[in-house]
Amino acid sequence: MDYTTAYQTALNDPEKYWGPFAESLSWFRSWDHVLTGDKWFVNGTTNIAYNVLRHEGTALIWYGEGERRELTYAQLRALTEEIVSRLKERGVSKGDRVSVYMPNLPETIATLLACAKMGVIYSVVFAGLGEEAVKSRITDLSPKLVVTTQYTVRRGRKIPLLGGDLFLPRGMEPGSREETPSEPIEANSPLKVMYTSGTTGKPKGIVLPHGSWMVGHYVVFDILFSLRPGDKVFTTADVGWITFSRIMYGTLLHGGTLIFMEGAPDYPRDRVARIVEEERPKVFFTSPTLLRLLRSMGVRPPRVEYLATAGEIMDEPSWDFAETFADKVTDVYGQSETGYVVGVPFSLGVEPRKGFAGVPFPGAVLDTVDDQGRSVRGEPGYLLLKSPFPTKFVGVWRNEEKYREYSKRFNYHDTGDVAVIQDWYVKIVGRSDDMIKVAGHRITSGEVEAVVGTIPGVKDVSAVGVPDSIKGEKLVIFVVGEVDEELIKDTVREKLGPIYVVDKVIKVPRMPKSRSGKVVRRILRDLTVGKEVDPTILEDPEVVVELKDALRKGGN
């Protein structure tokens, strides 16, 4: 099936498109209808953990700093069953909620599977968040208990975690527990609550469905990478980020081998390349931030078949670098709320286009609109999802009003992102709150950063708009690297046009980034205008001190 046929089939006959994929998975009760309104696989019951643990072969390969562990599916089943028993001993049962406050460990994955197997709604909390950020997420969920471990390891240091109710040892050995049956879960019932990173405000608890989310990610990883049992997928993502969850389930549902790691990717500097050399994965799934880090250190991984990135805009220098060691390169776009809806489905005959995330996946109807909700093409517009999609969220935890807000402005799901659509291809250019309005003209952070990022000497860049009494907003660029300020201003004006006037260039030692690797532009905007900021959402809160110092010096 080619892309056009698949897209039209998914749109006009969801039963025909999604049904065969879903039938490849196990169900306790088959569905009455694939799609009714916005409900998927209506009255069908299944269990995502059962569909993972039914496989054989190698399930997990984990790299610590100086350690390596390998678990077969049989060993993962035993470890999961051990954790199921411990949860039950603490009184946890179907319908309860559990917070999982753990780093990247095999025990963490087994805990997620244990919760899913029991029909327990779980939420993963970043192991590197500050105390207040951890507390706010746990308080909002109100879990039956918090599962944790003693510490995480980063750059050779043991970093203690804040504590919890059930401690699981690192390197945990399963006992000889009797296997318990998996709970049948209705396809639209909650699997997990994913708290957004908080880069655009107070974290929200995104409620993700059990069965339909399972089918959606099974399909996406099939059309992207043609995954088969035994295929290896290596990710550098953190278990606390939604990308990890998608890659974990997308790989394990196919009977593949998930390769992941704890600790810093550059400790030692060639750590990532060594893992690729040792394991030879079919897919290397990472972030543009990590690619920029490797490129800046002069580290090139061995050749892989597929290189995929997610979580932020894929800049052209990173794409060029990826093509030096990957046969096929794709960016993948999606939100916590939507799941992946854009990428390059190679198995459907789609070719990548540099600078674009890809095309809408079959079933995902996307549109870009202006302030009045009118469709626009070839220029930036607000990106909307106008169709149901299996991986789409089903609510915001304890906040129905926030859930309704997503479709309040345009009557369709507003992603909050700005994009350009050309000939099916979708280019993400920034967040809608990163839209900069200078003298009545709308420009985006992403398009400015893409141009500045091509200038030799620029290692990282962020563009923000700050209030201006005459123009409404003025453009301020933060840059990491040794490059002339006038060269940046001239390049932006030459490449993007005379309305793109850069007010100031601030040189900084590094950017404020969340644990998922995203630059938190809100921090840069607020610091520029003298506002106090909350650094707890950042991977390293100390960067705020460095930024304040750079602003005082004016970038000199």
Side-chain angles (χ1 to χ4, degrees), residues 291 300 303-304 307 314 316-330 352-354:
L291 291 180
R300 180 181 288 108
R303 196 145 203 90
V304 296
L307 185 285
M314 175 73 143
E316 290 200 24
S318 294
W319 191 294
D320 291 339
F321 174 63
E323 286 184 329
T324 66
F325 65 89
D327 296 332
K328 299 172 183 175
V329 178
T330 179
R353 182 181 292 184
K354 190 182 299 183

Side-chain angles (χ1 to χ4, degrees), residues 196-215:
T196 58
S197 60
T199 58
T200 56
K202 181 182 177 181
K204 303 180 295 289
I206 305 303
V207 182
L208 300 172
H210 197 114
S212 56
W213 200 83
M214 171 185 76
V215 175

